[in-house]
Amino acid sequence: MRANLPERARGVFRRYVACHNRPRAWIKWAKFEEKQAQTANAREVYEAAMQEMDERDLTEEFYIAFAQFEERAKEGERARVIYKYALDTLPRSQALELNKKYVQFEKQNGDRQGIEDVVTAKKRFQYEEAVKRDPYLYDSWFDYVRLEESAAEAEGSFTRIREVFERAIANVPPAPDKRLWRRYIYLWLKYAIFEELTAKDVTRARQVLTECRRIVPHDSFTFAKLWVHSAHFEVRQGQLDAARKLLGYAIGRCPK
């Protein structure tokens, strides 16, 4: 702005974004205002951009620029809100750099709980990518469950744990091969143990075990560990008749 005519420059930017309603055009305008030490004007430009552009056109680059502007303006809470909103809005595959910037931001500005939340969010992101690549890699689901179990101690809710378990067990092995099924069955058993011992929900635990027994292709193979665990579960609940029936049925399926 060599002619030192900021109002004329603003007029040019208004026409520019009207013709090119894209993130980079709005970012250029906002940066111009910031260079003029017009923090309020720069914020208005970013906010106007979010109103004028379709949500699908708001890119990772735009959100990073907006959040970093608020950081430079010493508005940490505003920056945090922008980062979180962007991470909730953008597909994970389009927010890799944004996630890195957010982690850096929280390490510099967050309290201990905030940093732990960011670390958890980062790991969730990584596990989501892993199970998306291969939903039949059950070890990734085990890692994901352990993460949510740790997070539940702070959040005080079992909702996320159950969601991950349900998503995991929905990936039934594609062939009746016992080697493929073994880790899958352990997921079910871990789910049942969680419901019984952590969530203290005996009804849910019994439902999990019942559904697991139903889904196993017993004509091809079965799992002694599943039958024994089911029987021991009923013994712990004082249901000895149910335990005897399970063990009797199991003898016919897996006499060893």
Side-chain angles (χ1 to χ4, degrees):
M1 200 192 62
R2 295 181 181 137
N4 197 29
L5 296 172
E7 282 304 321
R8 183 174 294 181
R10 288 186 183 102
V12 172
F13 276 118
R14 289 189 187 96
R15 294 194 296 274
Y16 181 44
V17 298
C19 295
H20 304 281
N21 189 20
R22 294 290 183 269
R24 289 191 178 182
W26 289 96
I27 291 171
K28 285 181 179 179
W29 185 3
K31 286 185 175 179
F32 160 77
E33 296 291 357
E34 191 176 0
K35 285 180 181 179
Q36 303 303 307
Q38 299 295 321
T39 300
N41 285 356
R43 184 174 292 117
E44 286 178 5
V45 170
Y46 281 118
E47 291 173 349
M50 293 187 69
Q51 294 293 324
E52 295 296 328
M53 284 190 290
D54 289 337
E55 189 171 287
R56 62 186 178 184
D57 293 330
L58 292 168
T59 61
E60 178 184 57
E61 179 187 15
F62 174 83
Y63 285 119
I64 290 174
F66 193 1
Q68 290 183 333
F69 155 73
E70 294 293 2
E71 287 185 64
R72 290 190 294 272
K74 310 299 182 186
E75 292 286 352
E77 279 306 311
R78 285 177 179 268
R80 182 175 285 110
V81 168
I82 293 164
Y83 278 124
K84 288 185 175 181
Y85 175 81
L87 288 169
D88 287 342
T89 302
L90 292 175
R92 289 183 174 85
S93 59
Q94 298 176 23
L96 299 178
E97 187 63 25
L98 179 72
N99 191 66
K100 290 179 184 177
K101 297 293 185 185
Y102 179 44
V103 170
Q104 292 172 1
F105 167 80
E106 286 293 357
K107 285 181 177 179
Q108 293 172 358
N109 301 279
D111 56 17
R112 180 179 176 181
Q113 186 58 51
I115 293 171
E116 289 177 355
D117 289 345
V118 169
V119 171
T120 298
K122 183 178 181 180
K123 288 182 178 178
R124 277 191 187 119
F125 187 94
Q126 293 169 343
Y127 291 142
E128 282 290 341
E129 292 299 305
V131 299
K132 183 179 179 181
R133 284 194 302 272
D134 186 357
Y136 298 104
L137 186 59
Y138 300 116
D139 284 343
S140 295
W141 288 109
F142 274 107
D143 291 340
Y144 201 168
V145 166
R146 281 192 284 270
L147 171 69
E148 295 301 348
E149 286 176 330
S150 298
E153 294 177 6
E155 296 174 359
S157 171
F158 298 138
T159 301
R160 282 184 179 272
I161 302 175
R162 287 183 173 126
E163 286 177 354
V164 174
F165 269 125
E166 290 294 333
R167 289 172 59 200
I169 62 178
N171 298 289
V172 180
D177 184 330
K178 191 168 184 176
R179 292 174 302 170
L180 299 176
W181 278 74
R182 187 168 285 109
R183 293 297 283 168
Y184 177 68
I185 293 302
Y186 286 157
L187 265 175
W188 280 92
L189 294 179
K190 184 173 176 61
Y191 190 5
I193 291 168
F194 158 75
E195 292 291 2
E196 180 188 359
L197 302 182
T198 304
K200 308 294 184 184
D201 193 327
V202 172
T203 301
R204 274 180 176 267
R206 182 175 286 112
Q207 289 172 347
V208 169
L209 290 170
T210 300
E211 181 62 15
C212 183
R213 294 194 302 272
R214 186 194 67 79
I215 206 170
V216 172
H218 297 289
D219 291 339
S220 300
F221 53 80
T222 192
F223 293 90
K225 188 178 290 292
L226 171 60
W227 293 105
V228 171
H229 182 91
S230 297
H232 284 175
F233 166 79
E234 294 298 349
V235 170
R236 287 193 294 274
Q237 310 316 314
Q239 301 296 321
L240 299 184
D241 287 344
R244 289 190 189 98
K245 287 179 182 179
L246 283 167
L247 290 173
Y249 193 75
I251 289 171
R253 290 293 187 178
C254 44
K256 72 174 183 177

PDB file of all heavy atoms in Angstrom, residues 203-223:
ATOM      1  N   THR A 203     -26.605 -56.819  33.281  1.00  0.00           N
ATOM      2  CA  THR A 203     -27.508 -57.123  32.163  1.00  0.00           C
ATOM      3  C   THR A 203     -26.806 -56.939  30.825  1.00  0.00           C
ATOM      4  O   THR A 203     -26.903 -57.794  29.934  1.00  0.00           O
ATOM      5  CB  THR A 203     -28.753 -56.216  32.229  1.00  0.00           C
ATOM      6  OG1 THR A 203     -29.425 -56.431  33.463  1.00  0.00           O
ATOM      7  CG2 THR A 203     -29.696 -56.525  31.071  1.00  0.00           C
ATOM      8  N   ARG A 204     -26.089 -55.837  30.685  1.00  0.00           N
ATOM      9  CA  ARG A 204     -25.356 -55.593  29.438  1.00  0.00           C
ATOM     10  C   ARG A 204     -24.266 -56.653  29.232  1.00  0.00           C
ATOM     11  O   ARG A 204     -24.060 -57.139  28.115  1.00  0.00           O
ATOM     12  CB  ARG A 204     -24.708 -54.209  29.451  1.00  0.00           C
ATOM     13  CG  ARG A 204     -25.606 -53.082  28.976  1.00  0.00           C
ATOM     14  CD  ARG A 204     -24.835 -51.771  29.045  1.00  0.00           C
ATOM     15  NE  ARG A 204     -25.574 -50.649  28.516  1.00  0.00           N
ATOM     16  CZ  ARG A 204     -25.502 -50.226  27.253  1.00  0.00           C
ATOM     17  NH1 ARG A 204     -24.730 -50.849  26.396  1.00  0.00           N
ATOM     18  NH2 ARG A 204     -26.207 -49.188  26.846  1.00  0.00           N
ATOM     19  N   ALA A 205     -23.573 -56.992  30.312  1.00  0.00           N
ATOM     20  CA  ALA A 205     -22.516 -57.996  30.208  1.00  0.00           C
ATOM     21  C   ALA A 205     -23.084 -59.323  29.716  1.00  0.00           C
ATOM     22  O   ALA A 205     -22.499 -59.980  28.837  1.00  0.00           O
ATOM     23  CB  ALA A 205     -21.833 -58.188  31.565  1.00  0.00           C
ATOM     24  N   ARG A 206     -24.219 -59.729  30.256  1.00  0.00           N
ATOM     25  CA  ARG A 206     -24.840 -60.984  29.820  1.00  0.00           C
ATOM     26  C   ARG A 206     -25.274 -60.897  28.350  1.00  0.00           C
ATOM     27  O   ARG A 206     -25.110 -61.847  27.577  1.00  0.00           O
ATOM     28  CB  ARG A 206     -26.053 -61.291  30.715  1.00  0.00           C
ATOM     29  CG  ARG A 206     -26.733 -62.611  30.361  1.00  0.00           C
ATOM     30  CD  ARG A 206     -27.854 -62.959  31.324  1.00  0.00           C
ATOM     31  NE  ARG A 206     -27.341 -63.417  32.631  1.00  0.00           N
ATOM     32  CZ  ARG A 206     -27.463 -62.744  33.761  1.00  0.00           C
ATOM     33  NH1 ARG A 206     -28.076 -61.555  33.778  1.00  0.00           N
ATOM     34  NH2 ARG A 206     -26.983 -63.238  34.890  1.00  0.00           N
ATOM     35  N   GLN A 207     -25.804 -59.742  27.944  1.00  0.00           N
ATOM     36  CA  GLN A 207     -26.210 -59.562  26.549  1.00  0.00           C
ATOM     37  C   GLN A 207     -25.011 -59.667  25.604  1.00  0.00           C
ATOM     38  O   GLN A 207     -25.107 -60.261  24.524  1.00  0.00           O
ATOM     39  CB  GLN A 207     -26.891 -58.205  26.385  1.00  0.00           C
ATOM     40  CG  GLN A 207     -28.263 -58.115  27.025  1.00  0.00           C
ATOM     41  CD  GLN A 207     -28.820 -56.702  27.020  1.00  0.00           C
ATOM     42  OE1 GLN A 207     -28.103 -55.726  26.762  1.00  0.00           O
ATOM     43  NE2 GLN A 207     -30.108 -56.575  27.330  1.00  0.00           N
ATOM     44  N   VAL A 208     -23.893 -59.100  26.029  1.00  0.00           N
ATOM     45  CA  VAL A 208     -22.685 -59.157  25.202  1.00  0.00           C
ATOM     46  C   VAL A 208     -22.241 -60.604  25.015  1.00  0.00           C
ATOM     47  O   VAL A 208     -21.952 -61.050  23.898  1.00  0.00           O
ATOM     48  CB  VAL A 208     -21.549 -58.315  25.834  1.00  0.00           C
ATOM     49  CG1 VAL A 208     -20.215 -58.590  25.132  1.00  0.00           C
ATOM     50  CG2 VAL A 208     -21.878 -56.828  25.759  1.00  0.00           C
ATOM     51  N   LEU A 209     -22.196 -61.360  26.098  1.00  0.00           N
ATOM     52  CA  LEU A 209     -21.763 -62.757  26.012  1.00  0.00           C
ATOM     53  C   LEU A 209     -22.738 -63.598  25.188  1.00  0.00           C
ATOM     54  O   LEU A 209     -22.318 -64.461  24.402  1.00  0.00           O
ATOM     55  CB  LEU A 209     -21.601 -63.336  27.416  1.00  0.00           C
ATOM     56  CG  LEU A 209     -20.424 -62.776  28.225  1.00  0.00           C
ATOM     57  CD1 LEU A 209     -20.501 -63.230  29.668  1.00  0.00           C
ATOM     58  CD2 LEU A 209     -19.098 -63.197  27.600  1.00  0.00           C
ATOM     59  N   THR A 210     -24.015 -63.357  25.365  1.00  0.00           N
ATOM     60  CA  THR A 210     -25.025 -64.101  24.601  1.00  0.00           C
ATOM     61  C   THR A 210     -24.883 -63.837  23.110  1.00  0.00           C
ATOM     62  O   THR A 210     -24.924 -64.761  22.286  1.00  0.00           O
ATOM     63  CB  THR A 210     -26.443 -63.711  25.065  1.00  0.00           C
ATOM     64  OG1 THR A 210     -26.588 -64.014  26.459  1.00  0.00           O
ATOM     65  CG2 THR A 210     -27.499 -64.456  24.273  1.00  0.00           C
ATOM     66  N   GLU A 211     -24.707 -62.575  22.747  1.00  0.00           N
ATOM     67  CA  GLU A 211     -24.574 -62.218  21.329  1.00  0.00           C
ATOM     68  C   GLU A 211     -23.288 -62.785  20.749  1.00  0.00           C
ATOM     69  O   GLU A 211     -23.252 -63.233  19.600  1.00  0.00           O
ATOM     70  CB  GLU A 211     -24.600 -60.694  21.164  1.00  0.00           C
ATOM     71  CG  GLU A 211     -24.499 -60.207  19.732  1.00  0.00           C
ATOM     72  CD  GLU A 211     -25.658 -60.664  18.847  1.00  0.00           C
ATOM     73  OE1 GLU A 211     -26.685 -61.109  19.379  1.00  0.00           O
ATOM     74  OE2 GLU A 211     -25.510 -60.566  17.605  1.00  0.00           O
ATOM     75  N   CYS A 212     -22.237 -62.794  21.540  1.00  0.00           N
ATOM     76  CA  CYS A 212     -20.972 -63.360  21.071  1.00  0.00           C
ATOM     77  C   CYS A 212     -21.126 -64.848  20.776  1.00  0.00           C
ATOM     78  O   CYS A 212     -20.671 -65.333  19.729  1.00  0.00           O
ATOM     79  CB  CYS A 212     -19.883 -63.136  22.110  1.00  0.00           C
ATOM     80  SG  CYS A 212     -18.255 -63.734  21.601  1.00  0.00           S
ATOM     81  N   ARG A 213     -21.780 -65.581  21.674  1.00  0.00           N
ATOM     82  CA  ARG A 213     -21.994 -67.015  21.433  1.00  0.00           C
ATOM     83  C   ARG A 213     -22.852 -67.240  20.202  1.00  0.00           C
ATOM     84  O   ARG A 213     -22.659 -68.210  19.466  1.00  0.00           O
ATOM     85  CB  ARG A 213     -22.634 -67.667  22.667  1.00  0.00           C
ATOM     86  CG  ARG A 213     -21.739 -67.687  23.901  1.00  0.00           C
ATOM     87  CD  ARG A 213     -22.288 -68.650  24.962  1.00  0.00           C
ATOM     88  NE  ARG A 213     -23.652 -68.319  25.373  1.00  0.00           N
ATOM     89  CZ  ARG A 213     -23.956 -67.463  26.350  1.00  0.00           C
ATOM     90  NH1 ARG A 213     -22.986 -66.834  27.005  1.00  0.00           N
ATOM     91  NH2 ARG A 213     -25.215 -67.235  26.687  1.00  0.00           N
ATOM     92  N   ARG A 214     -23.782 -66.325  19.976  1.00  0.00           N
ATOM     93  CA  ARG A 214     -24.671 -66.477  18.811  1.00  0.00           C
ATOM     94  C   ARG A 214     -23.929 -66.288  17.497  1.00  0.00           C
ATOM     95  O   ARG A 214     -24.205 -66.969  16.496  1.00  0.00           O
ATOM     96  CB  ARG A 214     -25.807 -65.452  18.903  1.00  0.00           C
ATOM     97  CG  ARG A 214     -26.872 -65.623  17.814  1.00  0.00           C
ATOM     98  CD  ARG A 214     -27.785 -64.415  17.720  1.00  0.00           C
ATOM     99  NE  ARG A 214     -27.065 -63.242  17.235  1.00  0.00           N
ATOM    100  CZ  ARG A 214     -26.777 -63.025  15.941  1.00  0.00           C
ATOM    101  NH1 ARG A 214     -27.124 -63.918  15.018  1.00  0.00           N
ATOM    102  NH2 ARG A 214     -26.138 -61.933  15.570  1.00  0.00           N
ATOM    103  N   ILE A 215     -22.962 -65.376  17.493  1.00  0.00           N
ATOM    104  CA  ILE A 215     -22.339 -64.988  16.232  1.00  0.00           C
ATOM    105  C   ILE A 215     -21.206 -65.923  15.808  1.00  0.00           C
ATOM    106  O   ILE A 215     -20.840 -65.971  14.643  1.00  0.00           O
ATOM    107  CB  ILE A 215     -21.825 -63.531  16.341  1.00  0.00           C
ATOM    108  CG1 ILE A 215     -21.758 -62.877  14.963  1.00  0.00           C
ATOM    109  CG2 ILE A 215     -20.481 -63.456  17.029  1.00  0.00           C
ATOM    110  CD1 ILE A 215     -21.487 -61.379  15.006  1.00  0.00           C
ATOM    111  N   VAL A 216     -20.655 -66.692  16.751  1.00  0.00           N
ATOM    112  CA  VAL A 216     -19.566 -67.609  16.411  1.00  0.00           C
ATOM    113  C   VAL A 216     -20.091 -68.736  15.511  1.00  0.00           C
ATOM    114  O   VAL A 216     -21.130 -69.326  15.804  1.00  0.00           O
ATOM    115  CB  VAL A 216     -18.947 -68.217  17.693  1.00  0.00           C
ATOM    116  CG1 VAL A 216     -17.940 -69.320  17.338  1.00  0.00           C
ATOM    117  CG2 VAL A 216     -18.268 -67.138  18.516  1.00  0.00           C
ATOM    118  N   PRO A 217     -19.382 -69.053  14.426  1.00  0.00           N
ATOM    119  CA  PRO A 217     -19.823 -70.150  13.533  1.00  0.00           C
ATOM    120  C   PRO A 217     -19.445 -71.508  14.140  1.00  0.00           C
ATOM    121  O   PRO A 217     -18.464 -72.140  13.736  1.00  0.00           O
ATOM    122  CB  PRO A 217     -19.052 -69.870  12.234  1.00  0.00           C
ATOM    123  CG  PRO A 217     -17.807 -69.171  12.677  1.00  0.00           C
ATOM    124  CD  PRO A 217     -18.206 -68.346  13.879  1.00  0.00           C
ATOM    125  N   HIS A 218     -20.239 -71.966  15.111  1.00  0.00           N
ATOM    126  CA  HIS A 218     -19.883 -73.159  15.879  1.00  0.00           C
ATOM    127  C   HIS A 218     -19.744 -74.412  15.023  1.00  0.00           C
ATOM    128  O   HIS A 218     -19.043 -75.353  15.399  1.00  0.00           O
ATOM    129  CB  HIS A 218     -20.933 -73.403  16.973  1.00  0.00           C
ATOM    130  CG  HIS A 218     -21.003 -72.305  17.990  1.00  0.00           C
ATOM    131  ND1 HIS A 218     -20.011 -72.081  18.915  1.00  0.00           N
ATOM    132  CD2 HIS A 218     -21.960 -71.351  18.216  1.00  0.00           C
ATOM    133  CE1 HIS A 218     -20.348 -71.047  19.671  1.00  0.00           C
ATOM    134  NE2 HIS A 218     -21.525 -70.593  19.267  1.00  0.00           N
ATOM    135  N   ASP A 219     -20.405 -74.466  13.870  1.00  0.00           N
ATOM    136  CA  ASP A 219     -20.282 -75.648  13.007  1.00  0.00           C
ATOM    137  C   ASP A 219     -18.879 -75.768  12.429  1.00  0.00           C
ATOM    138  O   ASP A 219     -18.462 -76.868  12.042  1.00  0.00           O
ATOM    139  CB  ASP A 219     -21.310 -75.570  11.862  1.00  0.00           C
ATOM    140  CG  ASP A 219     -22.733 -75.729  12.367  1.00  0.00           C
ATOM    141  OD1 ASP A 219     -22.902 -76.281  13.475  1.00  0.00           O
ATOM    142  OD2 ASP A 219     -23.670 -75.286  11.665  1.00  0.00           O
ATOM    143  N   SER A 220     -18.163 -74.649  12.384  1.00  0.00           N
ATOM    144  CA  SER A 220     -16.789 -74.670  11.863  1.00  0.00           C
ATOM    145  C   SER A 220     -15.767 -74.774  12.993  1.00  0.00           C
ATOM    146  O   SER A 220     -14.766 -75.473  12.884  1.00  0.00           O
ATOM    147  CB  SER A 220     -16.516 -73.405  11.038  1.00  0.00           C
ATOM    148  OG  SER A 220     -17.396 -73.310   9.937  1.00  0.00           O
ATOM    149  N   PHE A 221     -16.003 -74.091  14.070  1.00  0.00           N
ATOM    150  CA  PHE A 221     -15.113 -74.094  15.236  1.00  0.00           C
ATOM    151  C   PHE A 221     -15.805 -73.357  16.368  1.00  0.00           C
ATOM    152  O   PHE A 221     -16.829 -72.703  16.162  1.00  0.00           O
ATOM    153  CB  PHE A 221     -13.771 -73.420  14.924  1.00  0.00           C
ATOM    154  CG  PHE A 221     -13.915 -72.043  14.344  1.00  0.00           C
ATOM    155  CD1 PHE A 221     -14.173 -70.934  15.146  1.00  0.00           C
ATOM    156  CD2 PHE A 221     -13.828 -71.837  12.973  1.00  0.00           C
ATOM    157  CE1 PHE A 221     -14.320 -69.670  14.626  1.00  0.00           C
ATOM    158  CE2 PHE A 221     -13.980 -70.568  12.427  1.00  0.00           C
ATOM    159  CZ  PHE A 221     -14.227 -69.491  13.250  1.00  0.00           C
ATOM    160  N   THR A 222     -15.259 -73.483  17.550  1.00  0.00           N
ATOM    161  CA  THR A 222     -15.782 -72.723  18.681  1.00  0.00           C
ATOM    162  C   THR A 222     -14.605 -72.346  19.580  1.00  0.00           C
ATOM    163  O   THR A 222     -13.447 -72.626  19.255  1.00  0.00           O
ATOM    164  CB  THR A 222     -16.853 -73.513  19.453  1.00  0.00           C
ATOM    165  OG1 THR A 222     -17.508 -72.622  20.367  1.00  0.00           O
ATOM    166  CG2 THR A 222     -16.256 -74.686  20.205  1.00  0.00           C
ATOM    167  N   PHE A 223     -14.907 -71.673  20.708  1.00  0.00           N
ATOM    168  CA  PHE A 223     -13.848 -71.195  21.596  1.00  0.00           C
ATOM    169  C   PHE A 223     -14.161 -71.610  23.034  1.00  0.00           C
ATOM    170  O   PHE A 223     -15.136 -71.124  23.623  1.00  0.00           O
ATOM    171  CB  PHE A 223     -13.718 -69.675  21.511  1.00  0.00           C
ATOM    172  CG  PHE A 223     -13.213 -69.190  20.179  1.00  0.00           C
ATOM    173  CD1 PHE A 223     -14.104 -68.892  19.161  1.00  0.00           C
ATOM    174  CD2 PHE A 223     -11.843 -69.055  19.952  1.00  0.00           C
ATOM    175  CE1 PHE A 223     -13.634 -68.460  17.930  1.00  0.00           C
ATOM    176  CE2 PHE A 223     -11.379 -68.620  18.725  1.00  0.00           C
ATOM    177  CZ  PHE A 223     -12.269 -68.319  17.710  1.00  0.00           C
TER     178      PHE A 223
END
